[in-house]
Amino acid sequence: MGKAKLMVVLVLTIILAIAVLGFSFTQARISTNGSLSESLCSEQGVVTPIRIESGSTYAMCPWSEKQSAIRILIDALGFIAIICLIVFMFKAKRFSYIFAIVILFVIGGFGGYSSVIDGLAIKNTKSYCDKTSFDVVLEGSQCQLKYFYGTVALNFGSSLFMLLSSILALKYRSRIFNGDHHHHHHHDHDESKDDEKIPIIASSNSI
């Protein structure tokens, strides 16, 4: 049962990590679909990440390269660590399994830190949007931050699930590794009991 529970959490963590990577790659470069100019992103004082929309037209200025790179690295490493953990679990490599747990826990911790930094960046963008009029860029244009909120939420969720995965993997380790061999241990125990009986019977006969 422990292995099944752990696998559910690990699969959910993989899905979250992939979602973060998807969002991160799409928000790592300037994108626009019309008359909103890319030059908006290089204007002095502009706070990024930011997305300006007017109707169906938009221009997006990406996260800083550093923030995007850190987030992508953390989730890519987390993804690899989870795959390794699953492989070591099914191959019953106890030491490697424990090592993967430690690595995953550390990555999850860094992911939490990354999501806090991202959250602070969005807070800066929000305050910048609140005091800036974008009508000069294009009439009726406004900030749209929901995509960035999505990235922060997914990043936080992914980090949380990495930490949860590592804790559950540690908690269920004896059940995972001993569960498969439980029958063999029981058989060995019966044999040893039989061995013990022989000298006792022999000694009673000699009396």
Side-chain angles (χ1 to χ4, degrees):
M1 192 61 193
K3 190 182 275 189
K5 274 186 194 171
L6 180 58
M7 279 305 298
V8 169
V9 176
L10 289 172
V11 168
L12 285 172
T13 312
I14 286 171
I15 292 166
L16 282 167
I18 290 169
V20 172
L21 289 170
F23 269 66
S24 296
F25 280 117
T26 57
Q27 295 173 7
R29 60 189 183 277
I30 296 170
S31 64
T32 180
N33 72 342
S35 51
L36 281 171
S37 172
E38 289 186 11
S39 62
L40 169 76
C41 300
S42 54
E43 278 184 23
Q44 195 174 4
V46 71
V47 176
T48 60
I50 194 167
R51 181 182 168 109
I52 311 297
E53 289 186 358
S54 179
S56 59
T57 306
Y58 76 89
M60 188 193 73
C61 309
W63 297 87
S64 74
E65 285 182 9
K66 185 181 176 184
Q67 280 171 294
S68 288
I70 288 171
R71 196 183 323 107
I72 288 166
L73 181 66
I74 286 169
D75 279 88
L77 289 174
F79 177 83
I80 293 164
I82 292 166
I83 297 299
C84 289
L85 187 69
I86 292 168
V87 169
F88 296 145
M89 177 167 68
F90 284 102
K91 287 200 167 187
K93 294 187 180 294
R94 192 186 288 260
F95 178 77
S96 301
Y97 176 83
I98 299 291
F99 182 70
I101 288 172
V102 174
I103 296 296
L104 187 61
F105 187 84
V106 171
I107 293 167
F110 277 113
Y113 171 75
S114 165
S115 59
V116 169
I117 299 298
D118 288 348
L120 291 172
I122 291 299
K123 191 181 172 190
N124 287 343
T125 301
K126 175 87 170 65
S127 59
Y128 171 73
C129 287
D130 289 345
K131 64 187 180 192
T132 307
S133 170
F134 297 98
D135 280 345
V136 288
V137 181
L138 192 71
E139 200 171 331
S141 58
Q142 57 187 15
C143 280
Q144 181 57 267
L145 302 179
K146 64 182 179 185
Y147 301 100
F148 304 123
Y149 287 140
T151 303
V152 174
L154 284 168
N155 194 23
F156 183 74
S158 170
S159 306
L160 204 64
F161 266 77
M162 284 182 200
L163 293 170
L164 180 65
S165 296
S166 55
I167 291 163
L168 287 178
L170 198 64
K171 183 184 173 185
Y172 292 131
R173 74 189 186 282
S174 57
R175 211 182 296 182
I176 287 164
F177 286 102
N178 297 337
D180 299 333
H181 306 300
H182 185 70
H183 180 71
H184 299 298
H185 288 319
H186 185 68
H187 185 64
D188 294 345
H189 185 61
D190 287 346
E191 283 180 0
S192 63
K193 271 167 70 178
D194 291 342
D195 291 343
E196 283 167 15
K197 282 179 190 169
I198 294 163
I200 293 166
I201 292 163
S203 59
S204 63
N205 289 341
S206 62
I207 296 161

